[in-house]
Amino acid sequence: AECLESSDEYKFTIYDSHGDGMCCSYGDGGYEVSYDGELLKSGGAFGREESTIFGGECPTTEPSSSLSPSESPSIVTCSGKEKRFELKLVPDRYPEETSWYLKNICTGETVLDGGANSVVQCINDD
């Protein structure tokens, strides 16, 4: 598991390479993005991509830690100084068309990415 700066701002983007989203012509796929227990975005009826921005604001100084993507995000229990990022994803009949990423807007780094799978990640609340 990996902890992220919760004071930073993040952008979640989901893609469909065919451009027909995850619902409804080819199955009833969909997704939900939650942060700190709050549902931020849900859907499935989109074209090629859909994004949502969440978190804090970018600090005026350089972040104090180096972030690196996790090869296979795992379900983790968050401690008192962490916030939870959760993605629930149910693909349509063509899961190979679905991909997503979570980008730290402050650093420009892709923090997490994947295909038609779900992920839970903790975000450090320092």
Side-chain angles (χ1 to χ4, degrees):
E2 161 188 6
C3 290
L4 310 172
E5 297 294 327
S6 68
S7 59
D8 286 356
E9 191 171 34
Y10 295 92
K11 180 179 182 181
F12 171 81
T13 303
I14 189 162
Y15 293 98
D16 181 86
S17 63
H18 191 68
D20 61 355
M22 300 167 59
C23 178
C24 297
S25 299
Y26 300 102
D28 290 325
Y31 73 96
E32 293 181 351
V33 174
S34 299
Y35 178 67
D36 199 25
E38 178 183 336
L39 178 65
L40 299 175
K41 185 82 171 172
S42 64
F46 59 93
R48 188 156 308 275
E49 71 180 73
E50 187 166 76
S51 296
T52 189
I53 295 174
F54 64 94
E57 295 181 11
C58 296
T60 55
T61 59
E62 285 295 310
S64 60
S65 63
S66 175
L67 303 177
S68 60
S70 173
E71 293 216 1
S72 56
S74 58
I75 296 176
V76 294
T77 302
C78 297
S79 70
K81 289 192 169 191
E82 296 173 325
K83 291 190 178 179
R84 186 181 202 73
F85 169 79
E86 184 173 4
L87 167 64
K88 294 179 182 175
L89 196 150
V90 176
D92 61 10
R93 288 183 288 207
Y94 299 96
E96 67 277 4
E97 295 177 354
T98 302
S99 62
W100 58 270
Y101 74 83
L102 178 65
K103 185 174 188 175
N104 182 320
I105 294 174
C106 303
T107 65
E109 182 175 2
T110 298
V111 180
L112 297 169
D113 60 9
N117 56 6
S118 296
V119 64
V120 175
Q121 193 69 34
C122 284
I123 297 179
N124 195 345
D125 193 20
D126 288 337

